[in-house]
Amino acid sequence: MSDAVTNLEELKKLAPPVELQRAPVIEGNKGLGWLTDKLSVFAEGKTPLWWWILFLPAAFSATVIFPVCLFYQVFTGVGVWGNNHPVMWGLDIVNFIWWVGVAHAGTLISALLFLTKQHWRTTIGRMAEAMTVFSVMMAGLYPAIHVGRAWFDWFMFPIPNSNGLWPQFKSPLMWDVFAVNTYLVVSSLFWFMGMIPDFGVFRDRATTRVRKAIFSILAMGWTGSARQWHHYEKAYVVLCGLCTLLVFTVSSIVGLDFCTSQIAGWHATIFPLYFVIGAVFCGFGMMMVLLVPLRKWCGLENVITLSHMDKVAKLALVAGLVIDYIYAMEFFIAWYSGDTYERWVFGHRLFGHTYLYLGWTLIGINVCVTQLLWFKKIRSSMKALFIIGLLINIGMWCERFVIVVGSLYQEFLPANWGKYMPTIWDIGLYIGTLGAFFMLYLLFVKFLPVIAIQEVKGVMPEGDPHHPLGGAKKGGQS
Amino acid sequence: MSKNEAPKIYGLMAEFNTPGDLLRAAEKVRAEGYNRWDVFTPFPIHGMDKLMGLKNSLVGWVALAGGAFMFLNIAGLIWFANAFDYPLMVGGKPMFSAPMTFVPSYIMLIMGGALGALIGMLGINQLPRLHHPLLAKKRFALASRDKFIMVIGAEDEKFCATETKQLLESLGGANVDIVEEIA
Amino acid sequence: MSSHNENSKLPPLDLSGWRWLPTFLMVVGGFLTLVGALLSNHYNNLREFGTSWLMAFMFYYSIALGALFMVMIHHLTDAGWSVGIRRFSEHIASLLFPWLAILFLPVALLGKRIYAWMTIDPAQNNVVAAKLPIFTVPGFWICSAIFFAVWWVLSSQLSRWSLKQDESGSVECTRKLRWYSGWGIVAYAAVLTLSGVLWMKSLQYQWFSAMHGVYFFSTCAWSGLATIYVIAAVLLRQGTLAPVLQKNYFYFIGVLMLGFTLFSAYAEFAQYFVVWNANVPEETFWYLIREHGNWWWLSMLLIAGKFFVPFFILLPAAVKTNFKVIIPTCILIWAMHALDIAFNVFPALHDQGYHLKWIWLPLGCLMLMGGFLAKIFLHKFNSHPPYPQRDPRLLEAMGVSQHAVRDLMAANTGGAK
């Protein structure tokens, strides 16, 4: 510390007013042992009733509805969906983008907030990463079956074959294959690596032989030595940096699928960023939907505090404002360019026919409802956050529908005018993926460390060697 | 090694209650001239790597190598596939051009970098391993909970079962205990 | 840490020998600008002068916007480390009004010489007609006035409440600052985008790109951060800001610079790639002009100097606190930013490549404005405390940990809370 301020009395004078006190990361902290118990007890304890109530329908959807819709489509053909000329991209692509979007907030919360050294991120990071991994799985499924003949999916990979054919690397659709696969691999690695020390905790706490064996294997012999931590921290920073780049890249490539074409309403230079921000916004909505009930039912209200929820809501607001800016830019450029088709398409999104309800829903939610998050009162009400989170997901789903279908159903030529209605198989598959996502998420909540135990400990006063609770001899000063 | 020989000693372990105590003890141990010691903590302790004199981790370089390898590989593959082996004209663009090649190569750079970071971290830490002498100690389980454990290895030149034990106890280490090597 | 100690052992930097510099810049720059105006009036009806002036104006305008962004972000994120850089950033931001507004007047007065659309009859040109009523001379003046009015309210109020906070440290000041930053960031996004469109993009009125606002913002923040880094480093070495600047805060600024290096490259690549790939004539002409003559070399230079060089310099963790490396990088960033603005502005006038015989004119304008703005900045800086005296996060900025601050507050309130 500097020499300018030396004695305690002067320091006290500079302390902020009580109203501006920073909230502690963990409320009611009773030490590291208590914290370890608190954060691991849910995975070790008896399975509560609410878990079964949520799990069974999700599992039904994932194991019955999902395979039925999937196999019927694969065996019969894409014709079972509503996709038809001129709307060849229907709910499959809408849901693909939606799921990729849900994934993004997880990576952003975990990686970017780590790089910016936000301590509060430690409590929600793991849950966010799990959301990412499972939703990328759901997203990756759609393009794989959307191609129609799923057994030819290997064509998309650069595998030498007797036909002498290669993938066509000049198409963003091809890049999607790389992007989504990379996203799945990297986010899983990131998620897994964060859990290695926590697997160690579970291993050391295990009371049964089976638990001990499973977590010993998962922890891979982690001892927590200073040398291990040294390399671990470096690897974590590198992964965080790469994940932050991924957030921008994956959705940008999805955006490029659209904007490299010349279709009015798709061709805009802001589209890559548009999809990134839309994705993040949608993901924050899902984050609120997941966190609000789980923090209560898993007994984590002291850990994922109101202050943390407040910050998640603020981030959702920021993402919402940026998405509103991009909407404004889209309409502004349609006007500014003077392009007849652009102006027509954007006019029809709100004042056309057939899909104008979806257009207004997205404006109503993404532009209007989001503004509620400016108010502290709303941000501190968990019910409100849950509802707004759900609405954001619906609003962003409508946005993707408006983008995909809204630009395709009435193209330049009247010959390319038509309508699109999803069939029961479209909807069934979506319900199936939702079920699979929630089933996986509930399994994660029940069996794995939902909070990054080691990271939370590191930001406690007990973890600070210069703090009295951390063992400093001289109190209060560093 | 004959069977009736006493089990070989891996080192001595001592427990501390706070990261601050551990840091002070580590300073002393280093000042005493020990250099084969390590600390085992529930979370990384700020300032410990500097105190132990650990150099900048190599993991970053492994990740960079992985990323560069993937980037060049994919860029080369794209050139080979779309410009050399089966030239394909799409959209009037050159057969091989920087903007088209950059994006997929770059995304695979991320894949390579991430794999490099994880594999590098595990490799340098010599993980995964099935067992470790310390994991056999009951009280070592507390190192992932709320204790901060220091181990001085028997390989250290200055190691002496009695003197080192006295040193650890004088530094405030509790439950100083001998760790046996795995038989 | 060790380098910090080395630095603090050095004697504080004595800058009194450099006081002549702003005046010198103003005199030399003023001379060059005046000669340029006369010659330009003689040769091409002031078009060269007007465009050069616009380019220099956009350069300083973007730096001021970058500083304003950092001030607002400090309040919005409730950051601790950026307390020390806040006050001088406020001063840079408050150059926006009235000083940059005054410097904007020649652009507005010479509008018809600079902007082709001002002399085009909308009845003959449907691209201009589409942009009515904003693309008219009154529309231009009114919009510009509104933009500067917003900057005036924002920068003056953020400074005013910040100075009030110095006296009382009351909660109200902090709340006010956050309130202004809250709606301010929304207004900031809108006005920054629209001013970029109206003053810079409209030079080639036929062209449109939705990404342009994002791109302009990213370069504003990028050059603003470089400026903040240099000033903070000088003031640390000089001792003025030593109490509130830790070495690792320069790491944070460096990370942000790295981030914006990436982000601005991202924005420009996205814009270029989408235009290039879709190949629509209404858009590609803008980039095609920039492949003519020496514009092509400049575009290659920008790819290297705006992205690759700063990116690889800023990437290693340890380098971000090394002034000997980063200050030259900041100078590179300024140079590249100026060239980037030139790359956006000048091809509207010289579509076959820049006429290097005029190079001294934009340099003269840059020197004149730089000297003038530096003088005002120094005056502002010297007449106020160098850092916020009662910022609620001042202790954190001084290096006291958050846990310790909480203990101090508890001691203040008698341990009851």
Side-chain angles (χ1 to χ4, degrees):
Chain A
M1 205 171 85
S2 70
D3 309 325
V5 185
T6 40
N7 69 59
L8 203 62
E9 285 310 307
E10 267 183 62
L11 277 178
K12 274 189 190 170
K13 265 187 227 153
L14 295 176
V18 184
E19 294 92 327
L20 297 173
Q21 184 170 23
R22 282 200 201 275
V25 174
I26 303 289
E27 279 169 5
N29 172 29
K30 293 190 189 71
L32 297 175
W34 169 82
L35 196 62
T36 317
D37 293 337
K38 177 143 188 101
L39 299 185
S40 32
V41 77
F42 186 76
E44 291 164 346
K46 211 167 149 275
T47 310
L49 184 65
W50 65 261
W51 191 87
W52 286 109
I53 293 174
L54 290 178
F55 180 76
L56 289 176
F60 173 77
S61 165
T63 53
V64 179
I65 301 177
F66 185 50
V68 166
C69 294
L70 184 69
F71 289 126
Y72 180 64
Q73 188 272 326
V74 170
F75 289 133
T76 316
V78 181
V80 303
W81 290 339
N83 303 15
N84 209 335
H85 179 84
V87 182
M88 294 301 195
W89 282 7
L91 226 58
D92 42 352
I93 299 299
V94 172
N95 291 335
F96 163 64
I97 308 170
W98 190 81
W99 277 119
V100 170
V102 169
H104 272 59
T107 318
L108 196 83
I109 286 181
S110 203
L112 193 63
L113 296 183
F114 177 84
L115 293 179
T116 51
K117 304 197 189 238
Q118 299 296 308
H119 290 170
W120 61 277
R121 155 245 182 237
T122 55
T123 58
I124 59 167
R126 180 68 48 72
M127 287 186 169
E129 287 157 26
M131 181 179 84
T132 299
V133 173
F134 301 139
S135 47
V136 179
M137 286 179 187
M138 300 307 129
L141 176 92
Y142 275 105
I145 55 170
H146 163 82
V147 297
R149 287 181 286 178
W151 51 96
F152 283 137
D153 273 349
W154 63 274
F155 276 17
M156 291 190 282
F157 296 91
I159 300 167
N161 55 68
S162 53
N163 299 326
L165 294 173
W166 293 104
Q168 199 271 92
F169 285 103
K170 287 181 197 118
S171 163
L173 297 176
M174 185 62 221
W175 305 348
D176 260 350
V177 178
F178 289 84
V180 173
N181 279 310
T182 302
Y183 200 21
L184 182 59
V185 170
V186 174
S187 58
S188 310
L189 287 185
F190 185 53
W191 184 53
F192 177 73
M193 199 181 108
M195 281 195 290
I196 292 174
D198 292 347
F199 287 142
V201 176
F202 275 25
R203 171 197 65 200
D204 294 342
R205 292 173 58 88
T207 45
T208 63
R209 282 189 75 84
V210 179
R211 275 188 82 83
K212 184 106 188 159
I214 291 174
F215 287 110
S216 291
I217 291 167
L218 287 173
M220 299 193 292
W222 180 264
T223 54
S225 86
R227 287 186 170 78
Q228 284 184 345
W229 281 122
H230 178 65
H231 300 299
Y232 176 90
E233 283 191 296
K234 183 77 182 183
Y236 206 74
V237 171
V238 171
L239 272 178
C240 281
L242 291 172
C243 283
T244 310
L245 293 180
L246 260 189
V247 171
F248 275 87
T249 317
V250 175
S251 264
S252 293
I253 291 178
V254 176
L256 287 179
D257 292 347
F258 294 86
C259 64
T260 47
S261 72
Q262 295 162 353
I263 306 266
W266 283 6
H267 178 69
T269 48
I270 208 164
F271 248 56
L273 187 70
Y274 183 7
F275 275 55
V276 174
I277 303 298
V280 170
F281 181 51
C282 180
F284 281 132
M286 187 60 104
M287 204 65 227
M288 295 200 273
V289 170
L290 290 172
L291 284 179
V292 169
L294 283 178
R295 68 186 279 276
K296 188 162 184 196
W297 294 338
C298 298
L300 294 171
E301 279 165 313
N302 286 348
V303 181
I304 303 171
T305 62
L306 288 178
S307 142
H308 300 171
M309 295 306 296
D310 181 74
K311 282 164 181 150
V312 173
K314 277 182 188 163
L315 285 175
L317 175 63
V318 170
L321 288 173
V322 181
I323 202 87
D324 296 347
Y325 167 85
I326 294 172
Y327 293 155
M329 279 317 288
E330 275 201 308
F331 280 93
F332 173 73
I333 290 295
W335 169 80
Y336 180 89
S337 68
D339 185 292
T340 328
Y341 297 102
E342 288 281 339
R343 286 183 169 194
W344 192 86
V345 162
F346 281 98
H348 266 241
R349 285 198 178 169
L350 296 182
F351 305 105
H353 46 87
T354 318
Y355 301 120
L356 86 162
Y357 299 106
L358 293 175
W360 283 108
T361 312
L362 91 88
I363 295 285
I365 293 172
N366 299 353
V367 180
C368 303
V369 172
T370 314
Q371 308 308 323
L372 290 174
L373 295 172
W374 281 100
F375 301 102
K376 179 112 195 150
K377 244 196 172 141
I378 303 277
R379 290 200 307 268
S380 49
S381 151
M382 289 305 110
K383 273 183 204 137
L385 287 190
F386 184 78
I387 293 168
I388 291 176
L390 272 180
L391 284 176
I392 288 175
N393 278 305
I394 294 169
M396 288 310 292
W397 191 89
C398 294
E399 185 213 280
R400 273 63 178 263
F401 193 95
V402 167
I403 292 175
V404 174
V405 179
S407 279
L408 280 178
Y409 84 108
Q410 283 183 335
E411 229 206 66
F412 301 107
L413 297 173
N416 290 340
W417 290 11
K419 264 190 192 140
Y420 169 77
M421 254 316 142
T423 64
I424 189 140
W425 301 105
D426 280 300
I427 296 160
L429 192 65
Y430 183 47
I431 293 171
T433 52
L434 280 171
F437 172 81
F438 283 110
M439 181 185 78
L440 289 168
Y441 204 85
L442 285 164
L443 288 171
F444 154 74
V445 169
K446 183 64 202 79
F447 293 106
L448 296 177
V450 280
I451 308 271
I453 302 172
Q454 43 102 356
E455 286 184 19
V456 174
K457 282 180 186 170
V459 298
M460 303 296 291
E462 286 87 347
D464 179 2
H466 305 295
H467 190 269
L469 283 174
K473 286 267 161 66
K474 258 170 50 180
Q477 292 181 54
S478 58
Chain B
M1 199 194 287
S2 69
K3 271 185 186 168
N4 28 6
E5 213 175 316
K8 229 179 132 201
I9 295 179
Y10 174 81
L12 273 171
M13 73 178 232
E15 288 169 23
F16 297 87
N17 282 325
T18 65
D21 294 345
L22 184 74
L23 266 180
R24 274 189 296 277
E27 263 169 33
K28 293 269 170 53
V29 168
R30 192 182 65 165
E32 288 284 322
Y34 288 92
N35 49 27
R36 303 299 293 260
W37 52 275
D38 207 338
V39 294
F40 298 81
T41 54
F43 50 87
I45 292 183
H46 192 69
M48 187 54 92
D49 35 3
K50 193 161 279 169
L51 202 148
M52 291 177 74
L54 298 179
K55 295 203 181 70
N56 194 9
S57 168
L58 284 176
V59 171
W61 291 104
V62 180
L64 186 69
F69 176 79
M70 276 295 210
F71 183 88
L72 294 173
N73 250 310
I74 297 298
L77 175 79
I78 290 172
W79 169 80
F80 178 80
N82 283 172
F84 179 77
D85 191 45
Y86 196 117
L88 192 63
M89 173 67 86
V90 177
K93 301 290 185 290
M95 298 293 179
F96 183 76
S97 63
M100 280 296 189
T101 314
F102 175 72
V103 182
S105 311
Y106 159 76
I107 196 109
M108 293 307 277
L109 178 148
I110 296 177
M111 170 94 95
L115 286 170
L118 182 72
I119 294 171
M121 188 278 284
L122 292 176
I124 294 173
N125 282 334
Q126 297 172 359
L127 296 177
R129 58 185 295 169
L130 286 170
H131 200 54
H132 191 280
L134 283 165
L135 292 177
K137 302 298 284 187
K138 264 257 161 61
R139 287 201 67 87
F140 184 74
L142 295 175
S144 68
R145 187 180 163 84
D146 56 354
K147 294 291 181 205
F148 301 82
I149 289 177
M150 171 180 273
V151 175
I152 300 186
E155 287 174 18
D156 198 297
E157 282 169 11
K158 288 202 67 182
F159 185 85
C160 164
T162 47
E163 271 178 34
T164 309
K165 186 171 181 188
Q166 275 170 5
L167 172 71
L168 284 171
E169 272 165 358
S170 72
L171 294 174
N175 299 320
V176 180
D177 197 3
I178 289 176
V179 185
E180 290 89 16
E181 195 70 83
I182 309 166
Chain C
M1 284 292 181
S2 58
S3 53
H4 189 195
N5 295 338
E6 279 160 33
N7 273 342
S8 39
K9 267 178 226 150
L10 292 169
L13 208 59
D14 184 19
L15 291 174
S16 53
W18 290 89
R19 289 219 179 99
W20 53 272
L21 188 65
T23 319
F24 172 78
L25 284 174
M26 274 183 77
V27 171
V28 176
F31 174 72
L32 290 174
T33 311
L34 193 65
V35 174
L38 292 172
L39 283 177
S40 165
N41 190 26
H42 184 258
Y43 284 112
N44 58 11
N45 208 6
L46 282 174
R47 289 175 65 206
E48 190 69 50
F49 170 74
T51 314
S52 302
W53 187 271
L54 173 70
M55 180 247 145
F57 166 78
M58 289 309 281
F59 178 77
Y60 291 107
Y61 176 68
S62 53
I63 288 177
L65 288 185
L68 179 60
F69 176 70
M70 283 304 290
V71 173
M72 290 196 287
I73 283 298
H74 169 89
H75 295 306
L76 289 174
T77 55
D78 193 7
W81 66 275
S82 49
V83 172
I85 61 170
R86 197 182 99 202
R87 178 57 47 80
F88 72 76
S89 301
E90 282 163 8
H91 292 323
I92 302 176
S94 60
L95 294 175
L96 279 167
F97 196 89
W99 309 107
L100 276 161
I102 292 171
L103 293 178
F104 179 72
L105 280 178
V107 176
L109 291 170
L110 292 173
K112 290 202 165 156
R113 318 283 167 86
I114 303 173
Y115 299 100
W117 57 262
M118 281 198 189
T119 48
I120 289 173
D121 178 12
Q124 308 290 322
N125 186 317
N126 64 346
V127 182
V128 177
K131 300 174 180 55
L132 294 178
I134 289 180
F135 273 40
T136 53
V137 176
F140 185 85
W141 278 87
I142 291 169
C143 285
S144 304
I146 294 172
F147 299 160
F148 277 113
V150 172
W151 297 142
W152 176 51
V153 172
L154 270 181
S155 60
S156 66
Q157 291 301 317
L158 286 171
S159 284
R160 180 171 152 242
W161 285 100
S162 167
L163 291 172
K164 272 198 183 168
Q165 189 189 47
D166 276 6
E167 291 156 18
S168 63
S170 72
V171 188
E172 196 210 348
C173 299
T174 310
R175 297 236 161 99
K176 278 276 182 204
L177 285 164
R178 287 182 190 166
W179 187 75
Y180 277 108
S181 307
W183 68 261
I185 202 86
V186 177
Y188 177 87
V191 176
L192 181 143
T193 305
L194 294 175
S195 65
V197 169
L198 191 66
W199 298 342
M200 198 156 74
K201 192 161 87 170
S202 76
L203 283 164
Q204 278 162 316
Y205 62 92
Q206 309 94 324
W207 191 62
F208 52 91
S209 162
M211 197 65 164
H212 188 268
V214 178
Y215 147 74
F216 185 48
F217 159 70
S218 69
T219 53
C220 286
W222 192 59
S223 54
L225 281 164
T227 314
I228 287 170
Y229 192 102
V230 172
I231 297 179
V234 170
L235 291 175
L236 174 76
R237 285 282 287 105
Q238 193 211 18
T240 324
L241 287 189
V244 282
L245 287 181
Q246 312 286 317
K247 196 76 183 178
N248 63 332
Y249 301 167
F250 288 90
Y251 173 80
F252 297 150
I253 310 177
V255 169
L256 284 172
M257 273 159 65
L258 177 66
F260 276 99
T261 306
L262 275 164
F263 186 59
S264 70
Y266 169 81
E268 286 185 61
F269 181 77
Q271 179 171 293
Y272 177 78
F273 185 82
V274 172
V275 169
W276 177 74
N277 202 344
N279 216 358
V280 181
E282 288 90 333
E283 294 176 341
T284 44
F285 84 95
W286 197 87
Y287 281 109
L288 283 175
I289 292 173
R290 283 157 179 80
E291 289 177 9
H292 287 157
N294 50 21
W295 294 130
W296 191 83
W297 293 105
L298 180 55
S299 61
M300 291 300 117
L301 179 68
L302 285 174
I303 292 173
K306 264 205 87 179
F307 177 66
F308 284 103
V309 176
F311 175 74
F312 283 108
I313 292 178
L314 289 167
L315 191 57
V319 84
K320 296 184 185 86
T321 50
N322 185 344
F323 294 164
K324 286 196 182 100
V325 178
I326 300 299
I327 288 185
T329 312
C330 291
I331 293 168
L332 174 81
I333 289 176
W334 284 332
M336 285 301 140
H337 181 57
L339 286 173
D340 189 32
I341 300 271
F343 184 74
N344 271 275
V345 169
F346 279 115
L349 181 63
H350 302 292
D351 57 0
Q352 294 300 317
Y354 187 68
H355 296 184
L356 283 170
K357 64 181 181 200
W358 283 107
I359 188 88
W360 49 271
L361 179 52
L363 284 178
C365 294
L366 281 170
M367 285 164 85
L368 172 63
M369 286 187 206
F372 175 67
L373 294 172
K375 261 185 183 288
I376 292 161
F377 171 76
L378 288 173
H379 174 73
K380 280 177 190 277
F381 186 78
N382 289 331
S383 46
H384 299 296
Y387 59 85
Q389 304 290 301
R390 297 294 304 273
D391 189 286
R393 307 293 169 228
L394 186 62
L395 278 178
E396 280 175 32
M398 289 173 162
V400 181
S401 83
Q402 290 184 18
H403 306 305
V405 172
R406 203 169 294 125
D407 295 345
L408 282 170
M409 290 172 65
N412 270 350
T413 50
K417 299 247 161 161

